[in-house]
Amino acid sequence: LDSPEWLAFAERAKREGKAAIIIAAQGGDFIGNKLHRIEAFHKLGLRMMLPAYNTTNLICDGALDRTTSGLTRFGELVVDE
């Protein structure tokens, strides 16, 4: 999101009265346990992902769960990806 190319795109859109959007996903459930899906969704335009939302998934604890485990080992791989 901080790339010069994206910033230039967003500034050009603003000058032209257009919107520049960032495609994001809330929660990483959509990748399941498949790391290759991260690259696939990136190719489709996804640029930001919250690893979890309300409930725990394969990546990390959720906001509403009463656990403090943080990232799982798989979650660490997701971050590295």
Side-chain angles (χ1 to χ4, degrees):
L1 298 179
D2 61 352
S3 74
E5 295 85 9
W6 195 91
L7 182 58
F9 171 78
E11 289 173 340
R12 186 177 72 244
K14 183 177 180 178
R15 280 193 311 272
E16 295 173 2
K18 298 178 181 177
I21 63 169
I22 299 170
I23 299 174
Q26 187 167 303
D29 294 325
F30 66 96
I31 66 168
N33 64 351
K34 311 290 186 200
L35 283 176
H36 71 272
R37 289 182 180 167
I38 296 171
E39 181 179 353
F41 279 96
H42 186 269
K43 287 179 180 177
L44 293 171
L46 184 70
R47 293 296 180 265
M48 184 170 56
M49 177 183 87
L50 298 174
Y53 189 55
N54 287 331
T55 58
T56 297
N57 60 27
L58 295 174
I59 300 171
C60 64
D61 290 343
L64 297 180
D65 294 329
R66 295 177 182 227
T67 57
T68 57
S69 300
L71 286 174
T72 63
R73 290 202 182 262
F74 179 70
E76 292 173 359
L77 296 173
V78 168
V79 171
D80 288 342
E81 186 69 20

